Amino acid sequence: QLVESGGGLVRPGGSLRLSCVVSGRFDTTYFMGWFRRQAPGKEREYVAAIDWSQGHTEYADSVRGRFTISRDNAKNTMYLQMNLLKPEDTADYYCAAARAGTWSQSTAYDYWGQGVQVTVSS
């Protein structure tokens, strides 16, 4: 089970940190990612991903340099630190876990959280 938290309303230029707690059976060979959906009916957009055991990270071009993905093995928690937020970052954000596949493709992910809303507005 994946449970996100940390969303909310923030002004442009502000910061938020999202958390994703992993419970239940979890294999450290998984990789995990963050996706977002900016409007109902739109495809989920890849944001970032991390290899749980090695900590290797990758980012979408739209967030590289502003967002940081990380994980805390002891807490079974993944984070997304979002800085310099823009109105176009407004979306529902989802964490997900995968056994294998291409990190940036949502179809690779086997488990999904329910999502958390992030709104960037003045």
Side-chain angles (χ1 to χ4, degrees):
Q1 184 180 9
L2 307 177
V3 179
E4 304 96 335
S5 63
L9 172 64
V10 64
R11 294 183 185 277
S15 298
L16 278 176
R17 188 176 79 160
L18 304 183
S19 299
C20 174
V21 178
V22 181
S23 61
R25 184 177 176 180
F26 180 71
D27 189 331
T28 56
T29 63
Y30 283 15
F31 60 90
M32 296 189 67
W34 288 98
F35 286 76
R36 64 188 182 187
R37 180 178 283 137
Q38 294 174 306
K42 283 193 69 175
E43 290 284 324
R44 283 172 175 161
E45 175 193 15
Y46 167 71
V47 174
I50 186 167
D51 178 296
W52 192 268
S53 60
Q54 300 296 321
H56 175 72
T57 60
E58 293 184 356
Y59 297 91
D61 290 342
S62 59
V63 306
R64 187 176 292 113
R66 299 188 298 122
F67 291 11
T68 302
I69 188 172
S70 62
R71 89 278 189 241
D72 184 328
N73 289 359
K75 296 182 179 179
N76 271 10
T77 302
M78 177 177 67
Y79 303 99
L80 185 68
Q81 177 67 43
M82 305 185 294
N83 298 329
L84 299 175
L85 283 161
K86 304 174 181 180
E88 52 263 44
D89 294 317
T90 295
D92 291 328
Y93 284 73
Y94 300 85
C95 67
R99 298 182 185 90
T102 301
W103 288 21
S104 60
Q105 293 183 356
S106 62
T107 53
Y109 291 79
D110 305 291
Y111 306 99
W112 291 86
Q114 292 300 307
V116 63
Q117 188 174 53
V118 171
T119 302
V120 184
S121 176
S122 55

